[in-house]
Structures are given as C-alpha cells and as structure tokens.
Amino acid sequence: AQKVTQAQTEISVVEKEDVTLDCVYETRDTTYYLFWYKQPPSGELVFLIRRNSFDEQNEISGRYSWNFQKSTSSFNFTITASQVVDSAVYFCALSGATDSWGKLQFGAGTQVVVTP
Amino acid sequence: GAGVSQSPSNKVTEKGKDVELRCDPISGHTALYWYRQSLGQGLEFLIYFQGNSAPDKSGLPSDRFSAERTGGSVSTLTIQRTQQEDSAVYLCASSPPDRVAQYFGPGTRLLVL
C-alpha cells in the first residue's frame, strides 16, 4: 500500500522567512512519482512539480526548491523568502508508474500562513 | 488555454436525491480523474478514465457512485440516493498523453441536507 505523511499541520511564518514542508512516503513500487500541489484559498489545486523515483537531483524553480532523498523516503519542499501570496495548503502526493499511475495518494496537507 | 471546468460549482440537495456532476477536461488531454475532498477524509481518489481502456473504479466508495465519460471527453459523476456523508468537494482532473501531471478543475461543492 502507498502512504504519504505530512506531519506538519500548519506552519506560520513572517514574510521573507524561509519555510520547509516535510513529506515522507511509503511504497513497494520500484518506480514511482512524487508531486507537490498548492491549494490557495480559492480552492483550485495547482500543480507545482513532479519527480521520478530514479531522478534524485534536487530542483529549484524561483523561490521554490525540492529535496528528494530516496534513502529516507522524503521529498521536502522549501519556499525561500516567503510572501503573503504563498499562503495556501500544500499537498504532497505519490503515484505508481504502471496501473496505479492514475491514483494519486495525497498527504493530509500542510497549511502555510505567511503574515506581513 | 482553458483549464478543466466543472459544473455546477455548488450543489445543495436533499438526502435521498440523485445528483450529477459534470467535468470538461482540457482539450487534448486523454485521461480524466475524479477525486473527493472532505474535512474528515482529505483528498481521496474515486475513479479514472484512460483513453478507451476500462475505467479504474477502485476508489468509488459504494455502488451509489458511478461515472461515465462520453466520446473520450466530458465526464459525469452520478451519486444516487445521496447521503449526508457524501457532502464534500468533488474534484475533476485531466492529464495529457505524456501524463506529466494531473491538472485539476475548481471542483463542485456538494452539500446534502
């Protein structure tokens, strides 16, 4: 069975602080995909990134960066110099590579609150 | 381009009534997915359609739930004899042929009284 754990329920920061969201996953698949989605107050889930299990390179996109460590089954997400617009719920998700690809297994989400 | 659209955006119904929720995927996307988001259960997979293959219905919570996809495009999720525990936001997503990611619509908020 697949499982995604986001242990942090809510993180509050002041603007310009960095914030790191933890994601730990469990899977028996040897090939799988990891995702991060953002859900702002408007409610629509916004795709941020996909990472393949065979690619452990870290990735940076603007103020966002992701650290994938297969050894610890973690796929953490850092927002650098946070802004008020980053306030949202962030979900980590996992899918298999074959017949289970279509079934995203989501974590419970982490609410990020950025205050001015 | 246009994203995934869902209708209605909100639906209030009485317990025992049937409801239909509609999803229009992004043009050119070949796969379509339904999820449910509720306070108690988080985000749950319901069903997905991939091309002409039989849909994966493994996430449907009961036989009161069904979905169809007509012409490989628009999909309808039907809930028969609604119960209060069906109250949730129903999210639809679609993905392109390379299946890089699932792109979500705004959802339908269903309230069963």
Side-chain angles (χ1 to χ4, degrees), chain A residues 37 39 50 101-104, chain B residues 33 37 56 58 99-100 102:
Chain A
Y37 282 84
Q39 189 172 42
R50 182 188 87 163
W101 188 92
K103 306 176 192 179
L104 283 179
Chain B
Y33 317 81
Q37 185 173 25
D56 183 334
S58 59
R99 305 195 303 179
V100 168
Q102 298 181 24

Side-chain angles (χ1 to χ4, degrees), chain B residues 13-19 64 79-83 112:
Chain B
T13 191
E14 292 178 351
K15 178 181 170 181
K17 295 281 179 73
D18 297 351
V19 295
R64 296 186 296 105
I79 309 173
Q80 296 178 311
R81 305 180 304 282
T82 52
Q83 303 293 312
V112 182

Side-chain angles (χ1 to χ4, degrees), chain B residues 34-77:
Chain B
W34 284 97
Y35 291 83
R36 175 167 78 170
Q37 185 173 25
S38 59
L39 279 176
Q41 302 298 321
L43 274 156
E44 304 173 274
F45 163 80
L46 296 177
I47 184 172
Y48 89 92
F49 300 86
Q50 173 64 57
N52 295 321
S53 303
D56 183 334
K57 306 178 183 180
S58 59
L60 295 179
S62 78
D63 58 9
R64 296 186 296 105
F65 288 73
S66 63
E68 62 176 21
R69 189 178 184 195
T70 53
S73 181
V74 171
S75 177
T76 302
L77 177 69

Side-chain angles (χ1 to χ4, degrees), chain A residues 11-60:
Chain A
I11 301 175
S12 294
V13 295
V14 177
E15 219 172 10
K16 295 184 184 176
E17 288 183 340
D18 297 348
V19 56
T20 294
L21 311 180
D22 298 333
C23 173
V24 174
Y25 63 92
E26 296 175 29
T27 181
R28 293 181 181 173
D29 292 341
T30 53
T31 302
Y32 50 89
Y33 298 95
L34 294 161
F35 303 81
W36 276 96
Y37 282 84
K38 173 182 180 180
Q39 189 172 42
S42 60
E44 195 158 333
L45 277 165
V46 177
F47 166 69
L48 296 179
I49 190 171
R50 182 188 87 163
R51 175 60 67 200
N52 306 328
S53 55
F54 46 84
D55 180 2
E56 288 194 68
Q57 259 192 326
N58 292 329
E59 182 148 344
I60 298 174

Side-chain angles (χ1 to χ4, degrees), chain A residues 47-94:
Chain A
F47 166 69
L48 296 179
I49 190 171
R50 182 188 87 163
R51 175 60 67 200
N52 306 328
S53 55
F54 46 84
D55 180 2
E56 288 194 68
Q57 259 192 326
N58 292 329
E59 182 148 344
I60 298 174
S61 176
R63 295 184 297 105
Y64 294 170
S65 62
W66 291 271
N67 179 259
F68 175 33
Q69 291 198 335
K70 226 169 168 177
S71 60
T72 56
S73 297
S74 65
F75 185 42
N76 297 336
F77 172 31
T78 297
I79 303 172
T80 302
S82 59
Q83 300 176 2
V84 173
V85 292
D86 296 326
S87 295
V89 181
Y90 291 86
F91 291 94
C92 181
L94 166 72

